[in-house]
Amino acid sequence: MIDVLFIGLSLASILLLVALGLAITYGAMGVINMAHGELVMVGAYTTVMSGIWLKLGFLASIPIAFLVAAGLGWLIERLVVRWLYGRLLDTLLATWGVAILIQQAVRLEFGLSFLGIHVRGLGPGLQNVSVPGFLQGTFTIGDLGINTYRAFIILVTAALTVLTWFILYRTPIGMQVRAIIRNPKMAAACGIDVDRVNALTFAYGSGLAGIAGVMMSGFKTVFPDMGTSMVVDGFLVVVVGGVGSLAGSVLSAGLLGEINGLVASGTNDILARAVVFAVVILIIVLKPQGLFSYKGR
Amino acid sequence: MVFDRRQFLKTGALAATALATPTFFHRAARAADSIQVGVLFSLTGGLSIIEKSLADATRMAIEEINAAGGVMGKPIDIVLEDGASDPKTYAEKASKLVIRDRVPTVFGSYTSASRKAVLPIFEKRNNLYFYPTYYEGYECSKNVVYTGAVPNQQLSNFIPWIIKNLGKKKFFIVGSNYIYPREMAKVCKILIEANGAEWIADEYLELGHSEWGSMVNKIKTSGCDVVLSNVVGDSVVAFYREFKNQGLSHDKLPICATVTSEIEIAAMGPEYAVGSYTSFPYFQAIDTDTNKAFIERYRKFVNDPKAVTHHALESSYFQVYLWKQAVEKAGEATPEAIREGVKGQEYDAPNGHVKVAPENLHTYLTPRIAQWGADGQGTIVDAYPEPVFPLPYVAYGETKENLFCTEKGLDVAKLKG
């Protein structure tokens, strides 16, 4: 039974890892960032590329992936999203377009493949990321074999969640972000540089996606389409948790992960997914604002 | 020199006409003294990763034939179309090839979905399609020549071998949730029971899904001693990684796969697959001069010294030669003549001797089992002594003595009984 709960917890941590960034960009800024999955993919490819070209290990690529994804996120905010605040559906369409651009850039090796030049680590194929030996296999607690890599993901997710909480609730810039969530115009009137804070927030959310990408690359397949399915799960977590609530995202990721794990072990994975979707629908019907919601002013 | 707009338009229009004309005449002029064939694979979209390599192998065979003097002294002209990883596009492009270009044969398709989409066009127009991929069987068309393995050619040696040589008794069958793995599972169960072993589970995961935590945990607690995997596509990588990360080893509990090829092994990292098995008629590791020369030529053709060859790719290559021999035997390049000509046609392919069965237009292939090593290559641990007769309906009780699919077509009465 404990092994099933552990798998549930692991599923939850993976959901949360992707959702953390979204909780910030969607929850806090009201931007439906469809390119979030692609930022995860960029993080994964950063791991591949830094392994091949910089000879860096898996762990060393975490900060690089954060910086690359954050930089890309910052660019997206400056070039596209900045013009679309307050227009929810337009952000969806625009960032979807950005997502396709990023995907094709990776697939076509930034256009070099048209010229017959091939860059190792890019292109339409599957990529291989090697994971350090101490993260492979299992360790045992009592008579329970724990999957080391999944335990590692849980730790990383927990650390990032705490970090994000700390930034949001214990730093001056976090307070500014929260002020903007509640009421951007009033925040601006109080002297907060909304433009700058928004750009930084978006970059930070994107950077989190980059780290999620590194984690995913260690046990999932790295290829240009990998982000597409993740962004859907990420939005489920954020919507169920309540837009703008970090605690809500944590709770809903835990809930959906455990439901998935339990149902899958009792029946099968296909049914588990259906049950998860049914639960999501039920929660949205009963609590349209999500599990945790605040009153906007 | 300064252009005004009118001048620019005039010059532009002239230039465009000049550029367009040669191709326009070119095709009409070439058509008379060459044989046109269609090549239809996904060059874009999600499936392009693998289908592009099939298109390359097909083009390579055609260029080789042309360099050696063509077919009946005529060069082969390729009409290349892109199926765009979408069955609907496949159907449109197939119609275009058959109706407008009037090619007598099309080489194409990787997935069953795309083959099923184009099948009605070839049957209605009585044209001919060469299909290079291993597939689930359950098809009997006089308009398709199948050169990939059907279930009995991947499993009929594999399952008895696992039971006898590895001494395994309890199978856990796992696959992606669509028609191919489900049909494969049917054949597996027949063979497992016939060989005195048992299967204890038959589980599926969504196609393209890569969360294996629960499934591998189930495998771990199920008490099975061998896993038979019909998992396809990018899920394979996540499966093998999760398998090792949950502390399972291929020494005690090997994964025996029907679809895991050199490509997936390279992507997951060979350390995750060391000791596991795959059954295919062709592996890059086949140690013959024909195969080595083939790999070398292919790498040169695609300009990639590390390019990987695999079963469907090899079939894409040799089926063009089968087609060439059929045209030469028939003496004319019409679909009916080629179909009659291809029956019983034999060729020494990189995987060994192949032959088109006259009864059902499927191909005799030699099943092989490979064990994966640390270098990402297989070691052939078992090969059937001779090519095996293809039985597309083996899951429904077809045997060589009692064929369901013959030259007259499918015997529906037998299928129901």
Side-chain angles (χ1 to χ4, degrees), chain A residues 23-43:
Chain A
I24 291 170
T25 52
Y26 177 52
M29 308 175 67
V31 174
I32 300 189
N33 184 12
M34 294 300 283
H36 193 78
E38 273 54 43
L39 290 166
V40 174
M41 184 264 286
V42 165

Side-chain angles (χ1 to χ4, degrees), chain A residues 3-4 7 10-11 14 107 116 118 120 124-131 135-138 145-150 217-225 229 260-261 264-270 273, chain B residues 45-46 48-49 177 182 203-206 208-215 217-218 220-221 233-239 241-242 244-248 263-264 266-272 302-303 306:
Chain A
D3 52 346
V4 174
I7 286 170
S10 163
L11 294 176
I14 293 160
R107 186 171 286 134
H118 290 288
R120 265 181 69 210
L126 309 177
Q127 303 297 338
N128 165 31
V129 170
S130 53
V131 175
L135 287 178
Q136 296 179 13
T138 53
I146 302 276
N147 182 334
T148 315
Y149 195 79
R150 286 180 182 269
S217 70
F219 78 130
K220 294 196 172 177
T221 318
V222 180
F223 64 114
D225 289 321
S229 57
N260 196 335
S265 80
T267 54
N268 62 55
D269 281 281
I270 296 162
R273 217 163 150 67
Chain B
S48 63
I49 301 166
N177 192 22
R182 285 190 178 268
E203 295 269 356
Y204 298 91
L205 202 69
E206 268 174 87
H209 200 62
S210 59
E211 181 48 65
W212 285 93
S214 304
M215 184 72 86
N217 194 44
K218 243 184 237 175
K220 211 157 106 181
T221 52
D234 45 275
S235 324
V236 173
V237 175
F239 178 40
R241 286 199 162 189
E242 182 68 27
K244 189 177 174 196
N245 283 342
Q246 288 209 15
L248 298 172
I263 292 178
E264 286 90 2
M268 72 179 77
E271 71 265 28
Y272 290 94
V302 296
N303 194 18
K306 283 184 178 169

Side-chain angles (χ1 to χ4, degrees), chain B residues 54-166:
Chain B
L54 307 187
D56 284 338
T58 310
R59 283 173 41 229
M60 174 170 122
I62 291 173
E63 280 191 19
E64 281 179 15
I65 292 170
N66 281 347
V71 179
M72 301 185 301
K74 292 181 191 173
I76 308 168
D77 235 7
I78 300 174
V79 185
L80 187 64
E81 288 294 344
D82 178 8
S85 307
D86 170 33
K88 264 191 222 136
T89 312
Y90 257 100
E92 283 163 22
K93 301 289 185 179
S95 302
K96 184 239 166 201
L97 287 169
V98 169
I99 297 165
R100 207 170 87 197
D101 297 326
R102 298 189 183 178
V103 298
T105 301
V106 177
F107 302 96
S109 279
Y110 176 64
T111 61
S112 287
S114 63
R115 187 191 66 252
K116 295 274 188 205
V118 303
L119 193 61
I121 296 153
F122 287 90
E123 293 194 328
K124 192 172 166 207
R125 299 274 164 181
N126 199 13
N127 208 293
L128 203 57
Y129 200 52
F130 275 64
Y131 177 66
T133 319
Y134 48 91
Y135 84 113
E136 66 280 354
Y138 202 73
E139 206 168 277
C140 181
S141 170
K142 59 183 175 44
N143 298 92
V144 183
V145 179
Y146 307 81
T147 57
V150 283
N152 77 309
Q153 293 170 316
Q154 279 184 278
L155 294 171
S156 62
N157 66 323
F158 202 24
I159 304 257
W161 184 85
I162 293 167
I163 294 168
K164 253 181 237 142
N165 292 49
L166 299 180

Side-chain angles (χ1 to χ4, degrees), chain B residues 246-322:
Chain B
Q246 288 209 15
L248 298 172
S249 90
H250 296 297
D251 297 338
K252 287 195 197 116
L253 180 61
I255 297 181
C256 296
T258 52
V259 195
T260 311
S261 75
E262 286 85 349
I263 292 178
E264 286 90 2
I265 300 286
M268 72 179 77
E271 71 265 28
Y272 290 94
V274 172
S276 66
Y277 300 92
T278 297
S279 168
F280 262 139
Y282 174 84
F283 289 98
Q284 188 171 340
I286 290 177
D287 193 16
T288 59
D289 293 339
T290 328
N291 184 40
K292 281 180 187 155
F294 166 69
I295 295 168
E296 201 174 301
R297 287 201 308 277
Y298 177 72
R299 286 178 170 171
K300 216 168 166 187
F301 186 80
V302 296
N303 194 18
D304 177 0
K306 283 184 178 169
V308 167
T309 56
H310 51 95
H311 171 46
L313 185 152
E314 190 244 3
S315 292
S316 302
Y317 172 81
F318 76 67
Q319 68 177 8
V320 181
Y321 279 91
L322 288 173

Side-chain angles (χ1 to χ4, degrees), chain A residues 38 41-42 45 100-111 121-124 127 223-224:
Chain A
E38 273 54 43
M41 184 264 286
V42 165
Y45 271 89
I100 293 170
L101 282 177
I102 299 175
Q103 241 183 55
Q104 292 300 337
V106 171
R107 186 171 286 134
L108 300 172
E109 303 161 61
F110 297 106
L122 292 177
Q127 303 297 338
F223 64 114

